[in-house]
Amino acid sequence: MQRRRSLPVITASVVLGLSLTTTLAACSGGDDPTPSRTPSSSRSASPEPTGRTTRTPAATDTPSSATSAPPSAGTPSDDQTGSADDGNVPGTGNGSGVDQPTSVDFGAVAAQGVAAAGGGTTVSIVGAGDNWTVVVSGPDGSQTQSVVSATLDRVTSGPFPKDADAATKAVNVARSGSLRVQAADAATRALAAVPGSSLTSLVLGGSGSAPVWTATVTASGATRTVTVDGLTGSATAS
């Protein structure tokens, strides 16, 4: 009789123990610290794979950075906007580069004027320094004017026709026909009459039978007039 009573007590203890174990197991499942991982949360938290990292190009890789750099001091400039060098220097403007030659060959100056006019007689030489205006009377008394460079020994402007009426043409023909002292000789005689002087003008005048050269010269800042007889060559300074 003693064994029959103890069996129910043991069975009840086993059942109670199983219930307690189940309860503890249920409680322990709720305390699991490992969080659940969803596909969406894991994708948003994970970084982009390193194999696909986007590389930002450096500033030196762009064409603009290469072209914007200033040229070095040794790089020649392509600027061709400066003024071109034509080889002329300040002076007469005709390329001689000389404003005041040390001497003037009035024979050569007169010859250039005559050649430009196609022949005739020099009746006037006026100018200073390198530029001289030469007037030539032709066989018919018509006049031609040219500018001659004493340094270059050539005509730099002209020839141009110079107005002359019928009376002037007739006188020019008469003077040229009777003239014995040409322009170059008259210039030499006028300069000799005033030592150290320079010529500024030489003009043929007078009558057809008695031509006279009138020369204007300067010496020591003073201007003087010299007349040269067109027939004898005698010079008189005043």
Side-chain angles (χ1 to χ4, degrees), residues 175-223:
R175 286 173 181 164
S176 298
S178 63
L179 188 65
R180 298 294 179 266
V181 179
Q182 301 299 320
D185 191 10
T188 300
R189 292 174 183 269
L191 292 172
V194 182
S197 63
S198 59
L199 183 73
T200 56
S201 70
L202 180 68
V203 179
L204 181 63
S207 64
S209 59
V212 176
W213 291 101
T214 301
T216 302
V217 300
T218 58
S220 302
T223 300

Side-chain angles (χ1 to χ4, degrees), residues 117-221:
T121 302
T122 300
V123 296
S124 174
I125 298 178
V126 179
D130 185 56
N131 293 321
W132 296 88
T133 299
V134 180
V135 177
V136 175
S137 175
D140 62 349
S142 61
Q143 295 180 330
T144 303
Q145 177 175 296
S146 303
V147 178
V148 178
S149 165
T151 303
L152 298 177
D153 190 23
R154 65 178 176 83
V155 172
T156 57
S157 179
F160 304 105
K162 184 176 174 63
D163 291 338
D165 56 24
T168 301
K169 290 181 179 180
V171 171
N172 287 339
V173 171
R175 286 173 181 164
S176 298
S178 63
L179 188 65
R180 298 294 179 266
V181 179
Q182 301 299 320
D185 191 10
T188 300
R189 292 174 183 269
L191 292 172
V194 182
S197 63
S198 59
L199 183 73
T200 56
S201 70
L202 180 68
V203 179
L204 181 63
S207 64
S209 59
V212 176
W213 291 101
T214 301
T216 302
V217 300
T218 58
S220 302

